[in-house]
């Protein structure tokens, strides 16, 4: 779908050429484009402000049928995300106009202050991600994605960055896969079906893949995962995916919360709180999709995905508040609340990952707490770790991909809040405050000496409303972030 070439708008026949415009500065090197922008800015309805756009048809002296100018706003605030977003809005506009293809003029490295590779990659990301529609449950498809988006760059840049379209497509297709999995309703992704879907793609991609069913999980001692699943007729699964890079010295384990539906269990969620809980497997979707994309991008590091999958339902067989369970690590947990199920399945998965792989680092992604959404809102994820260098690396990747993260504290004295009178630990804090932190501290009890990061993505994993390059539904949060990180640590 992505193309990178140099074009001549006076000669090359184009259906649609798109030119991004800043309100206060010329950002293009090409003289023809510069003149066209001047003309557009003379129109009373267009001043280059963000989200403004204007279209000219059959411009004089050009082989182009349609010329669209897209506003970006003032240059000083035009960061890479502004270019990602403008490309996204362009593609969405193209889809609603019923176009099949369009060409976007990439602005100048010198004039924007962004390196060409970064600028091209960001715009390509916005374009691919915006070209995704989740309409598989609609009998009538109202819109069709574009078939091709061409990025117009200088001839030497087209040669220099010939590898970029492939790299961007691999990362964005992973993101889209994760989005789709999250958007699929819970009735179509119960643990068995979801695990099988991941495994089938993973085997095709050449990843070492295993799926364990409930019988194996019970036998191996995954007591917490089994306990969460015992209220549902659909039994738990565990998927492991391994990507190995030749000569790699480091192994990173990615662990993802895969609760295909979180009703809360016997501590049943009330009314509105249950809406949207099909998204409670977004961490697992991000991890599985990252492994699949890594198989294409081939970072120089071993990556293992450990993915516990379960449905949290109330029933006569469900776990009760007050029950005490034995986790994979051997530690016992008193169930203070059956709705705090994510930390239980992650406790088993983390303990297993450490024992089986002795990784250099573990990173878990989970829609773990509503408290995290209270703290940081619906667009920002929380990063919990004692490792300053890992936190910095994640925050740096997060700035590059604009999957926003914020580091949170892990105060030692809050661990007291998880004490149980009867078991080694409780899954429920004795305080109603700081729930995202106490959830992270619960996980830390299962980590021992391994370097570990927990990312709570409860807010940004799902979007109720569409934005520049994302539709409503799963956002695929974390996939681009993890891929960026894997290439740098
Ligand atoms: N899946 C939820 C967390 C969640 C809430 C994700 C909102 C996305 C949006 C999690 O399993 C949960 O229910 N957490 C409880 C924990 C509490 C019982 C200690 C919560 O946050 O209320
Ligand atoms: Zn829950
Ligand atoms: Zn949950």
């Amino acid at each position: 779908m992505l193309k990178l070439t140099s074009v001549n708008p006076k000669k090359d026949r184009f259906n649609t050429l798109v030119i991004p415009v800043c309100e206060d500065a010329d950002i293009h090197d090409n003289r023809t484009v510069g003149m066209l922008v001047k003309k557009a800015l003379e129109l009373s309805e267009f001043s280059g402000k963000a989200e403004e756009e204007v279209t000219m048809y059959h411009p004089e002296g050009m082989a182009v049928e349609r010329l669209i100018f897209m506003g970006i706003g003032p240059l000083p605030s035009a960061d890479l995300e502004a270019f990602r977003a403008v490309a996204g809005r362009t593609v969405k506009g193209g889809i609603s106009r019923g176009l099949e293809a369009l060409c976007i003029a990439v602005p100048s490295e010198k004039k924007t202050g962004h390196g060409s590779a970064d600028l091209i990659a960001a715009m390509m990301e916005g374009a691919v991600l915006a070209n995704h529609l989740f309409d598989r449950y609609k009998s009538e498809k109202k819109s069709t994605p574009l078939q091709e988006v061409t990025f117009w760059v200088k001839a030497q840049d087209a040669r220099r960055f010939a590898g970029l379209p492939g790299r961007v497509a691999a990362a964005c297709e992973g993101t889209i896969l994760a989005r789709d999995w999250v958007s699929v309703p819970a009735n179509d992704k119960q643990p068995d079906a979801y695990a099988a879907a991941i495994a089938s793609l993973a085997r095709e991609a050449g990843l070492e893949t295993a799926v364990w069913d409930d019988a194996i999980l019970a036998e191996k001692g995954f007591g917490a995962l089994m306990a969460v699943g015992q209220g549902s007729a659909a039994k738990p699964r565990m998927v492991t995916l391994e990507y190995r890079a030749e000569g790699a010295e480091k192994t990173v384990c990615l662990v993802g919360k895969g609760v295909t539906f979180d009703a809360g269990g016997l501590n049943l969620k009330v009314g509105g709180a249950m809406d949207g809980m099909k998204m409670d497997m977004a961490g697992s979707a991000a991890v599985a999709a990252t492994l699949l994309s890594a198989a294409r991008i081939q970072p120089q590091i071993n990556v293992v995905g450990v993915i516990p999958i379960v449905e949290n339902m109330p029933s006569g067989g469900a776990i009760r508040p007050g029950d005490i369970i034995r986790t994979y690590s051997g530690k016992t947990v008193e169930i203070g609340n059956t709705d705090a199920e994510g930390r239980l399945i992650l406790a088993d998965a983390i303990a297993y990952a450490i024992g089986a792989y002795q990784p250099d680092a573990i990173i878990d992604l989970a829609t773990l707490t509503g408290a995290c959404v209270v703290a940081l809102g619906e667009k920002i994820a929380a990063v919990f770790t004692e490792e300053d260098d890992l936190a910095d690396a994640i925050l740096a990747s997060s700035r590059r991909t604009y999957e926003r993260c914020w580091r949170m504290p892990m105060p030692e004295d809050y661990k007291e809040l998880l004490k149980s009178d009867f078991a080694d630990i409780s899954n429920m804090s004795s305080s109603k405050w700081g729930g995202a932190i106490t959830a992270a501290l619960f996980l830390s009890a299962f980590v021992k000496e391994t370097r570990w990061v927990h990312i709570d993505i409860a807010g940004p994993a799902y979007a109720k409303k569409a934005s520049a390059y994302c539709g409503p539904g799963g956002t695929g949060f974390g996939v681009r972030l993890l891929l960026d990180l894997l290439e740098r640590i």
Side-chain angles (χ1 to χ4, degrees):
M1 177 242 177
L2 292 174
K3 262 182 140 179
L4 189 63
T5 74
S6 174
V7 304
N8 181 345
K10 288 194 177 151
K11 285 205 196 122
D12 297 338
R13 294 232 142 260
F14 272 117
N15 183 280
T16 307
L17 177 64
V18 181
I19 303 178
V21 179
C22 277
E23 62 183 82
D24 54 354
D26 172 16
I27 54 169
H28 292 273
D29 283 334
N30 185 283
R31 296 224 351 239
T32 315
V33 172
M35 274 161 44
L36 291 167
V37 168
K38 245 194 189 151
K39 259 194 180 169
L41 287 172
E42 281 164 12
L43 298 168
S44 60
E45 65 261 50
F46 186 73
S47 59
K49 289 207 172 66
E51 301 189 25
E52 268 182 11
E53 60 173 87
V54 73
T55 307
M56 292 178 185
Y57 296 91
H58 301 292
E60 222 183 284
M62 294 181 70
V64 176
E65 192 174 304
R66 183 189 292 102
L67 200 51
I68 306 176
F69 298 88
M70 299 287 296
I72 298 185
L75 179 60
S77 56
D79 54 9
L80 286 173
E81 176 62 8
F83 289 98
R84 203 177 275 118
V86 82
R89 282 200 301 274
T90 300
V91 166
K92 285 195 175 188
I95 295 173
S96 52
R97 289 167 191 246
L99 302 182
E100 277 180 16
L102 45 78
C103 173
I104 307 180
V106 176
S108 148
E109 169 171 63
K110 271 202 218 92
K111 294 181 177 167
T112 60
H114 300 299
S116 284
D118 287 346
L119 201 53
I120 298 166
M123 293 183 75
M124 285 185 167
E125 282 170 10
V128 179
L129 293 174
N131 202 34
H132 161 247
L133 304 167
F134 183 77
D135 58 3
R136 69 175 73 162
Y137 290 89
K138 292 273 192 196
S139 312
E140 193 190 330
K141 320 280 181 214
K142 286 212 187 87
S143 337
T144 318
L146 304 185
Q147 278 162 27
E148 193 174 277
V149 181
T150 303
F151 289 84
W152 171 13
V153 294
K154 290 190 190 129
Q156 85 237 32
D157 281 359
R159 282 191 297 273
R160 262 204 302 167
F161 304 124
L164 264 186
R167 161 78 179 66
V168 170
C172 292
E173 281 159 26
T175 304
I176 287 170
L177 185 66
R179 286 180 179 179
D180 279 353
W181 272 329
V182 172
S183 297
V184 162
N187 57 324
D188 277 348
K189 59 178 176 197
Q190 284 193 298
D192 187 24
Y194 178 42
I198 294 173
S200 126
L201 290 178
R203 291 194 180 108
E204 247 172 62
L207 296 170
E208 188 71 36
T209 304
V211 180
W212 290 343
D213 65 14
D214 47 313
I216 303 176
L217 291 170
E219 184 194 303
K220 289 190 187 280
F222 286 84
L225 179 56
M226 289 302 293
V228 173
Q230 76 190 43
S232 171
K235 294 302 167 205
R237 295 288 182 270
M238 166 93 125
V239 179
T240 53
L241 309 173
E242 298 174 27
Y243 162 78
R244 307 234 163 252
E246 216 172 300
E249 281 161 18
K250 279 193 195 164
T251 299
V252 171
C253 272
L254 304 177
V255 177
K257 172 177 172 182
V259 176
T260 61
F261 188 74
D262 183 10
L266 287 178
N267 293 108
L268 197 62
K269 286 184 183 293
V270 289
M274 206 186 298
D275 291 353
M277 276 303 140
K278 67 171 182 181
M279 57 78 94
D280 212 19
M281 36 57 75
S284 69
V287 167
T290 299
L291 264 292
L292 288 165
S293 293
R296 291 169 65 181
I297 295 170
Q298 309 230 305
Q300 270 310 298
I301 186 167
N302 297 324
V303 192
V304 178
V306 177
I307 305 171
I309 302 176
V310 67
E311 188 176 49
N312 187 25
M313 299 285 267
S315 82
I319 44 167
R320 295 151 285 248
D323 282 4
I324 295 179
I325 60 171
R326 185 174 299 276
T327 62
Y328 185 87
S329 70
K331 278 201 165 100
T332 56
V333 180
E334 180 176 359
I335 306 300
N337 191 314
T338 63
D339 197 10
E341 83 297 338
R343 64 196 75 182
L344 294 173
I345 72 168
L346 291 177
D348 271 4
I350 288 171
Y352 170 73
I354 292 173
Y357 297 101
Q358 288 104 38
D360 298 281
I362 295 193
I363 303 171
D364 79 72
L365 265 75
T367 48
L368 203 62
T369 63
C372 189
V373 193
V374 173
L376 298 178
E378 291 178 286
K379 294 191 175 168
I380 303 177
V383 174
F384 294 89
T385 182
E386 310 269 18
E387 316 293 333
D388 292 345
D389 58 334
L390 275 179
D392 290 347
I394 287 172
L395 294 177
S397 289
S398 134
R399 279 189 290 273
R400 278 190 290 272
T401 66
Y402 204 69
E403 290 161 288
R404 285 177 287 174
C405 292
W406 193 257
R407 189 169 179 189
M408 301 276 267
M410 301 218 335
E412 191 64 32
D413 55 331
Y414 283 24
K415 288 186 179 166
E416 243 174 65
L417 302 171
L418 293 166
K419 282 202 172 135
S420 158
D421 288 334
F422 310 111
D424 298 332
I425 191 168
S426 166
N427 78 332
M428 177 75 185
S429 168
S430 56
S431 162
K432 68 174 182 177
W433 307 112
I437 297 174
T438 46
L441 290 172
F442 177 90
L443 297 180
S444 75
F446 298 85
V447 174
K448 296 190 236 165
E449 302 304 309
T450 309
R451 282 155 59 75
W452 162 73
V453 188
H454 159 58
I455 308 181
D456 193 333
I457 60 169
Y462 196 88
K464 284 178 217 104
K465 279 203 290 189
S467 51
Y469 52 89
C470 191
T475 61
F477 187 98
V479 177
R480 289 182 301 120
L481 172 72
L482 288 174
L483 289 169
D484 185 88
L485 184 75
L486 291 172
E487 285 190 301
R488 292 168 198 269
I489 58 170

